[in-house]
Amino acid sequence: MIGKTVAATTIGCKVNIYDTQGILEIFAKYGYAVVDFSEIADVYVINTCSVTNLADKKSRQMIGQAKRRNPQAVVAAVGCSSQANPDVYRDLGVDIVMGTSGRGQLVHHIENLNQQPIMDVLPNIRGQKSFENTHITSDTSRTRAFLKIQDGCDNFCTYCIIPHVRGPSRSLNFEDLIGQAAAFAYAGYKEIVVAGIHVASYGKDLQEWDLVDALTQIAELKGIERVRLSSVEPNVVTDKFCDFVEKTPKFCDHLHLSLQSGSDKILQLMNRKYTAGEYGRAVEQIRAVRPKISITTDIIAGFPSETEEEHRQSMEFVQTLNLSGLHVFPYSAKSGTAAAGMADQIPKTVKKQRVAELLEMGNHLAVSHYQDFVGQTMPVLVEEVSKNGLYLGKTANYMPVAFTSNEGGLANQIVNVTLNSADKNGLVGTCQ
């Protein structure tokens, strides 16, 4: 007989964070008390990630932590890594191996283990046709509410395992999307982050609605003051999208526009659906309607056959765009992807050096971007209070801000902060 406490941890993206919260809400409906993952619990849920080999490793480490914390607990591995590598998790001795669908039935499976050593819940993900909606009503993990509106991907970038473990693109129906966003507004959230595995694909299976329609309706909700979009590719920047951005003050002054490489040869090898030139034009187009928008991006260093010249080309291209910051990743060969079998794999030492160079450039870009706002007063959504008493939050253009204030109880409030200084960690300010 299992107890009634559950703990969960999430490795990976905003979509995984959303999925974990959905799982915990279902547990709560069954009478389970949700406790922190660092505590002793009767059930541990590890929402795994497989986007990189490091994410796989972290996922496995969390399994070990849970089993050491309470050897008698029921341990469930769910998500992308367990979908891709179920044998690994069976060998780790988890009680339930669940992939990226059917998570709404997890509590039912746990309640009905009946002494089975391991239960597998791994349907054919490529056969998934409908969006699995867990009807989240709150996001207890943070101030900004993540709203997952799309799952799966049809792009099959050659380095990426995610289409193989998440299945084809599918969308949350429009009525449920608006209902869930309205529930977040009713719960008091000021900001909604619209997320998906390939969120730009939203609506392609619905016929009537697309991503811009969804963003428009969310922005019209009373109580929601900010609408933010998770990572997208440059093809999301259409005339319709730009018209929405221009006319919608609630849309945050930040766009994470994924690049991956500034070399057209590497982009083609990656099976990305754009060229560097098209990416640059997308940046120009969005800045034409939002001149002060912050644009950040992803870069993969050391993709197979990437030459030193192509690495330099990426760095120079990013410099010309005057971006606000970089997320840098060394290429990680994932079994089951096309790129893992490509010739001319780059040595780890070379990848490490290229990552270091890109990170240094990214730090310079971020600091320069932050310094542009020193002396200004900007609205900041307060997320938490640090150990030394500073309020921590983010501006609409996603700059981290630490500030002092004579007032208390500012969590989840948007307050005006005068920005006094900047470094690579963000801005420091005061709120009167």
Side-chain angles (χ1 to χ4, degrees):
M1 180 69 178
I2 64 172
K4 287 291 184 179
T5 57
V6 60
T9 190
T10 305
I11 298 92
C13 65
K14 292 179 175 65
V15 171
N16 263 15
I17 293 170
Y18 176 97
D19 290 339
T20 299
Q21 184 60 34
I23 289 169
L24 289 177
E25 285 205 13
I26 294 170
F27 271 98
K29 289 176 184 176
Y30 276 77
Y32 286 74
V34 177
V35 300
D36 191 83
F37 192 77
S38 63
E39 299 179 31
I40 294 176
D42 300 295
V43 177
Y44 290 98
V45 180
I46 293 85
N47 196 352
T48 65
C49 176
S50 193
V51 71
T52 65
N53 292 330
L54 180 59
D56 281 317
K57 181 179 179 180
K58 288 181 178 178
S59 300
R60 297 191 297 270
Q61 289 172 339
M62 293 300 104
I63 299 290
Q65 284 188 24
K67 293 180 74 66
R68 287 191 296 273
R69 197 159 287 135
N70 182 6
Q72 305 305 314
V74 174
V75 179
V78 306
C80 293
S81 185
S82 56
Q83 178 78 39
N85 309 291
D87 287 342
V88 170
Y89 291 92
R90 295 185 192 106
D91 292 342
L92 289 172
V94 302
D95 299 282
I96 293 182
V97 181
M98 176 173 277
T100 56
S101 65
R103 286 157 296 202
Q105 296 299 310
L106 180 57
V107 180
H108 172 77
H109 294 316
I110 287 175
E111 299 268 354
N112 291 278
L113 271 174
N114 295 325
Q115 308 304 314
Q116 295 182 54
I118 295 178
M119 178 183 287
D120 281 0
V121 189
L122 293 164
N124 176 16
I125 196 64
R126 292 309 303 170
Q128 297 297 311
K129 300 297 183 184
S130 60
F131 184 95
E132 182 182 18
N133 186 12
T134 47
H135 299 283
I136 289 178
T137 57
S138 65
D139 185 344
T140 59
S141 62
R142 53 196 64 220
T143 302
R144 300 186 307 278
F146 291 131
L147 175 55
K148 174 185 168 186
I149 67 171
Q150 183 274 340
D151 206 342
C153 183
D154 300 324
N155 280 3
F156 289 93
C157 297
T158 58
Y159 56 83
C160 186
I161 196 66
I162 300 305
H164 302 276
V165 296
R166 282 278 182 175
S169 180
R170 48 210 188 273
S171 306
L172 175 63
N173 74 65
F174 206 67
E175 292 75 15
D176 284 345
L177 183 155
I178 299 306
Q180 197 156 301
F184 283 141
Y186 181 78
Y189 291 94
K190 301 292 191 297
E191 179 176 316
I192 289 180
V193 183
V194 179
I197 295 298
H198 190 256
V199 70
S201 297
Y202 178 79
K204 289 186 177 179
D205 53 336
L206 300 180
Q207 307 301 322
E208 298 180 54
W209 310 100
D210 63 14
L211 176 62
V212 175
D213 297 321
L215 294 171
T216 300
Q217 292 298 312
I218 293 169
E220 290 178 358
L221 289 171
K222 184 178 179 181
I224 298 301
E225 298 183 35
R226 291 181 177 180
V227 179
R228 193 180 299 280
L229 190 57
S230 66
S231 178
V232 290
E233 295 176 1
N235 55 13
V236 78
V237 184
T238 62
D239 290 343
K240 182 177 180 180
F241 179 80
C242 289
D243 185 61
F244 161 78
V245 171
E246 185 175 23
K247 295 177 179 177
T248 312
K250 287 185 180 181
F251 186 77
C252 289
D253 253 351
H254 172 253
L255 202 60
H256 189 78
L257 206 60
S258 182
L259 174 60
Q260 307 304 1
S261 175
S263 161
D264 284 344
K265 186 203 88 174
I266 298 299
L267 288 172
Q268 186 174 17
L269 286 172
M270 290 177 169
N271 195 32
R272 304 293 282 180
K273 304 298 194 290
Y274 52 85
T275 64
E278 288 167 340
Y279 184 97
R281 286 190 288 275
V283 171
E284 291 177 0
Q285 190 174 358
I286 196 70
R287 281 177 173 162
V289 296
R290 281 281 184 96
K292 295 184 179 180
I293 194 168
S294 299
I295 299 177
T296 53
T297 198
D298 300 317
I299 297 286
I300 295 176
F303 188 80
S305 81
E306 182 188 58
T307 64
E308 187 65 23
E309 181 181 351
E310 287 156 354
H311 166 62
R312 297 293 165 196
Q313 187 177 353
S314 279
M315 294 187 66
E316 291 169 6
F317 181 66
V318 169
Q319 287 278 21
T320 63
L321 295 173
N322 192 28
L323 299 181
S324 307
L326 304 180
H327 294 179
V328 181
F329 307 90
Y331 168 71
S332 177
K334 295 293 298 178
S335 177
T337 63
M342 288 181 178
D344 300 322
Q345 297 284 327
I346 306 300
K348 287 184 179 179
T349 54
V350 176
K351 286 191 284 188
K352 184 177 180 180
Q353 178 60 34
R354 291 178 184 176
V355 165
E357 292 174 359
L358 284 161
L359 286 174
E360 183 179 7
M361 183 178 70
N363 285 336
H364 285 307
L365 289 171
V367 172
S368 176
H369 178 65
Y370 298 153
Q371 287 176 338
D372 286 342
F373 295 88
V374 171
Q376 297 186 28
T377 299
M378 298 183 70
V380 173
L381 175 60
V382 182
E383 298 176 1
E384 59 181 315
V385 180
S386 69
K387 292 180 180 179
N388 57 3
L390 290 173
Y391 284 103
L392 306 177
K394 288 187 177 65
T395 60
N397 60 351
Y398 212 60
M399 296 189 302
V401 177
F403 67 93
T404 57
S405 176
N406 296 325
E407 295 187 38
L410 296 181
N412 197 37
Q413 301 299 311
I414 295 178
V415 297
N416 289 323
V417 177
T418 300
L419 307 174
N420 302 320
S421 63
D423 60 24
K424 67 178 182 179
N425 298 311
L427 290 134
V428 177
T430 54
C431 175
Q432 302 300 326

